[in-house]
Amino acid sequence: MSVTAAKGFTAAGIAAGIKDGGKPDLALVVNTGPRRAAAGVFTSNRVKAAPVLWSQQVLADGELTAVVLNSGGANACTGPQGFQDTHATAEKVAEVLETGAGEVAVASTGLIGVTLPMDRLLPGIEKAAAELSGYGGEKAAIAIKTTDTVHKTAVAARDGWTVGGMAKGAGMLAPGLATMLVVLTTDADLDAAVLDRALRDATRVTFDRVDSDGCMSTNDTVLLLASGASGTAPEYADFAAAVREVCDDLGRQLIGDAEGASKDIKVEVINAATEEDAVEVGRSIARNNLLKCALHGEDPNWGRVLSAIGTTSAAFEPDALNVAINGVWVCKGGSIGDDRDLVDMRYREVRITADLAAGSATATIWTNDLTADYVHENSAYSS
Amino acid sequence: MSVTAAKGFTAAGIAAGIKDGGKPDLALVVNTGPRRAAAGVFTSNRVKAAPVLWSQQVLADGELTAVVLNSGGANACTGPQGFQDTHATAEKVAEVLETGAGEVAVASTGLIGVTLPMDRLLPGIEKAAAELSGYGGEKAAIAIKTTDTVHKTAVAARDGWTVGGMAKGAGMLAPGLATMLVVLTTDADLDAAVLDRALRDATRVTFDRVDSDGCMSTNDTVLLLASGASGTAPEYADFAAAVREVCDDLGRQLIGDAEGASKDIKVEVINAATEEDAVEVGRSIARNNLLKCALHGEDPNWGRVLSAIGTTSAAFEPDALNVAINGVWVCKGGSIGDDRDLVDMRYREVRITADLAAGSATATIWTNDLTADYVHENSAYSS
């Protein structure tokens, strides 16, 4: 599974000593070819970590041989030293793999504003390279965890070719809670332009619609590497569907493991004038702290849904809005609808349906509730 | 103090039985003249409660004789019935005061999506009218509390004239946490146009820059009534300064009493290209849940400040940003600055200074931390 599900990839995950306590903290993913096409999407935060700036640069030619990822430090807001450290990391990987640094993407996650312990990271790369194997995908997925309670992998196997991947984090591409790092691999025989299109089409409706806490990371990175090792070049639609399936699966796993969450919340916006309106409304609902607290308390507080919709610029008439929680239309025509006591909130998944009565566009945003555990986890993170 | 500090006003606060347990829940403020000029600003939420729609309408002529306010129910998202209830409330006040309903503003706060118990509210108005007095300001301030732990009043006394007021809520005008209701009164002899200008000038830099949890209410209302009873017409600048002083004082009290908060956080943005940029950056910092959790944990996590700045469209260069927490410049040039261990976070007030190095505009936004108590309070609110 994971990044080694597709043919033409090896991976490893080891403990380099970046994190305290001997926990795995360094992952290496290598494309053994024959093809080395690649695409990436990155955080839209204007404050970008050194590894993001680096990886954007090396991806310009649509080729990657390897990705090195570390947890235990984001290497963000670390100035020229941080960029030098990222560069040195890529150089070291290039040296042990006998390739060029321009073929190596770097991703980091952890605390912002702290430089990486290069005296431990660089020897770690040699150790990881020595452990590379076609079965190393799971170890790699484990090594990139930060506050994740489980490692996250997914695979879409098709006739003759495969897309697989791993993810860490509890959030989204833009914006994101903590950092989201994703590496996807495929043995399909496709060029970088096709990978780029499929990756953007997929992230737009998956990771971009996962909104755990509205906070955007400096480090979010999603990479897709193709080895061509299957010798098969699938149709675009089939390939795009497989990439989307893996992204969707990983995105749901991210929300399911969001920091402190006790509810997975699916916000469906229907009958919007445009898809942009639907996304804006869905995001506004998904980011409303008061609503997220209410859902944590299993309180079907639809007034907070309406109040969130009212802050958007989407097309709607306030007295035409309908809202259902877990299928019960508790708000009809902008006013009191069916009995809120009919709403069963005992299960982890909560479904909010917002009907804008303004058209036929829809969008779904996934989020989670706001809990005391989230506060505890994030108030003690760096101490 | 409160709304009866200025001459020409009476007020009362009583328990009408809207709330359970006999708590005060109905306030009446009456302008006894000779002048009855008034101005108001209201929530920018497009889903507006019935009393907001009503009060905007009656204020169109710049005159008000009375304001009736209830806690225990927001009368928002209650459809035509809700508007009829607001109308009936104003009619009842008009009847007991022998004026017209078009002279009566109505404000409500409490749970959204529940109709008001008119059989208790209307008799409550008669009871409140019987208790009106020139010393009733404090009782009125107490009667509009919802989750407020203290009632909030302020006064600016000048030579021969006065501005006073009361507030409830723990948030801001737009957006706002829970509902903010504010009634300001003055005995200055000024017309509605001057009141309107002074009120807008003041709220723009006070209530509009208090951002507790980024959530915007359906009911936020700020009213300013002038009786002219002092016989004095102050200069605009003097009057505007007094209104701003009272708004600033009440705004700080709202943040100081924000739900579950343990820190009052002053976000100062300096050296911005424009005031709009400074406000956008300040608001983005003030709304970052991860940062608000970190500050709760007394962790000077400046990386989360930079990450929030990076999501804005303000003019800045990432490697020119400087951030101080409680006066210690922990981030310099977008990278690691002075030792974060020098930051003393033991006190309730926290000061974050974000230097955009892009101009000379400034803005200050007040917010508070995100705590487990906030989650508890808001997950159990309606149950």
Side-chain angles (χ1 to χ4, degrees), chain B residues 62-92:
Chain B
E63 280 203 4
L64 281 182
T65 296
V67 186
V68 58
L69 310 95
N70 74 275
S71 52
N75 196 11
C77 306
T78 43
Q81 182 63 49
F83 197 79
Q84 279 171 37
D85 288 345
T86 289
H87 190 173
T89 302
E91 287 285 3
K92 183 71 184 176

Side-chain angles (χ1 to χ4, degrees), chain B residues 171-201:
Chain B
M172 65 176 302
L173 189 62
L177 158 69
T179 287
M180 186 185 72
L181 301 183
V182 177
V183 180
L184 306 174
T185 57
T186 183
D187 46 21
D189 191 17
L190 299 168
D191 66 23
V194 173
L195 300 184
D196 188 68
R197 182 177 160 205
L199 187 61
R200 284 175 200 281
D201 283 355

Side-chain angles (χ1 to χ4, degrees), chain A residues 302 306 317-323 329-337 355 357, chain B residues 77-80:
Chain A
W302 60 267
L306 255 69
E317 290 302 324
D319 59 6
L321 295 171
N322 306 301
V323 173
W329 290 95
V330 283
C331 169
K332 292 179 180 173
S335 184
I336 304 156
D355 172 6
Chain B
C77 306
T78 43

Side-chain angles (χ1 to χ4, degrees), chain A residues 104-342:
Chain A
V104 181
V106 181
S108 301
T109 178
L111 191 62
I112 299 176
V114 178
T115 51
L116 292 170
M118 297 305 288
D119 57 330
R120 277 166 275 168
L121 198 154
L122 296 180
I125 290 169
E126 294 190 14
K127 190 174 161 193
E131 295 195 13
L132 283 168
S133 92
Y135 304 95
E138 185 157 9
K139 282 192 174 173
I142 291 169
I144 58 175
K145 283 170 57 187
T146 52
T147 57
D148 307 67
T149 63
V150 291
H151 62 283
K152 298 156 184 97
T153 65
V155 66
R158 297 290 188 269
D159 189 18
W161 56 277
T162 295
V163 177
M166 65 179 184
K168 66 81 38 182
M172 65 175 306
L173 191 61
L177 157 70
T179 287
M180 186 184 72
L181 301 183
V182 177
V183 180
L184 307 172
T185 57
T186 182
D187 46 20
D189 191 17
L190 299 167
D191 66 24
V194 174
L195 300 183
D196 187 68
R197 182 177 159 205
L199 187 60
R200 284 175 198 283
D201 284 353
T203 55
R204 192 179 67 82
V205 293
T206 56
F207 297 126
D208 271 349
R209 296 191 184 171
V210 172
D211 195 329
S212 176
D213 70 353
C215 296
M216 192 195 292
S217 165
T218 50
N219 289 55
D220 294 326
T221 299
V222 183
L223 299 171
L224 170 59
L225 282 64
S227 68
S230 71
T232 307
E235 292 294 317
Y236 179 75
D238 295 338
F239 180 66
V243 172
R244 181 173 164 164
E245 181 183 316
V246 171
C247 290
D248 201 45
D249 188 338
L250 292 172
R252 285 284 291 111
Q253 291 182 50
L254 291 172
I255 279 293
D257 193 30
E259 290 173 342
S262 71
K263 300 282 185 194
D264 299 348
I265 304 164
K266 184 181 194 174
V267 181
E268 301 173 303
V269 182
I270 62 172
N271 299 322
T274 63
E275 188 178 339
E276 292 66 39
D277 274 9
V279 171
E280 184 193 356
V281 167
R283 220 179 265 297
S284 178
I285 295 169
R287 288 188 187 166
N288 190 282
N289 278 352
L290 288 171
L291 175 65
K292 287 155 77 106
C293 287
L295 297 179
H296 175 53
E298 306 196 336
D299 167 17
N301 195 320
W302 60 267
R304 292 176 181 176
V305 178
L306 255 69
S307 155
I309 297 173
T311 65
T312 70
S313 61
F316 68 83
E317 290 302 324
D319 59 6
L321 295 171
N322 306 301
V323 173
I325 300 180
N326 284 349
V328 180
W329 290 95
V330 283
C331 169
K332 292 179 180 173
S335 184
I336 304 156
D338 293 335
D339 187 353
R340 41 171 284 149
D341 291 342
L342 297 173

Side-chain angles (χ1 to χ4, degrees), chain A residues 44-48 76-80 111-115 176-178 213 215-218 259 287-290 293-294 296-299 301-304 306-318 321 333-336 340 370-372 374-376 378-383, chain B residues 44-48 76-80 111-115 176-178 213 215-218 259 287-290 293-294 296-299 301-304 306-318 321 333-336 340 370-372 374-376 378-383:
Chain A
S44 56
N45 199 309
R46 291 167 62 201
V47 175
K48 294 185 205 303
C77 305
T78 43
L111 191 62
I112 299 176
V114 178
T115 51
L177 157 70
D213 70 353
C215 296
M216 192 195 292
S217 165
T218 50
E259 290 173 342
R287 288 188 187 166
N288 190 282
N289 278 352
L290 288 171
C293 287
H296 175 53
E298 306 196 336
D299 167 17
N301 195 320
W302 60 267
R304 292 176 181 176
L306 255 69
S307 155
I309 297 173
T311 65
T312 70
S313 61
F316 68 83
E317 290 302 324
L321 295 171
S335 184
I336 304 156
R340 41 171 284 149
L370 180 56
T371 70
Y374 173 87
V375 174
H376 292 145
N378 285 297
S379 59
Y381 183 69
S382 76
S383 52
Chain B
S44 55
N45 199 309
R46 290 167 62 201
V47 175
K48 294 185 208 300
C77 306
T78 43
L111 192 62
I112 300 176
V114 178
T115 52
L177 158 69
D213 69 354
C215 297
M216 191 194 294
S217 165
T218 50
E259 291 172 344
R287 288 186 187 169
N288 190 282
N289 278 352
L290 288 171
C293 287
H296 175 54
E298 305 196 337
D299 167 16
N301 196 321
W302 60 267
R304 291 174 180 176
L306 255 71
S307 151
I309 298 172
T311 65
T312 70
S313 61
F316 68 83
E317 290 303 322
L321 295 170
S335 182
I336 304 155
R340 41 173 281 150
L370 180 56
T371 70
Y374 173 88
V375 174
H376 291 147
N378 285 295
S379 59
Y381 183 68
S382 75
S383 52

Side-chain angles (χ1 to χ4, degrees), chain A residues 16 19 29 62 68 79 83 93 95 98 149 152 247 255 288 290 317 357 364:
Chain A
K19 281 182 185 166
V29 180
V68 58
F83 197 80
V93 172
E95 179 197 319
E98 297 181 348
T149 63
K152 298 156 184 97
C247 290
I255 279 293
N288 190 282
L290 288 171
E317 290 302 324
T364 297

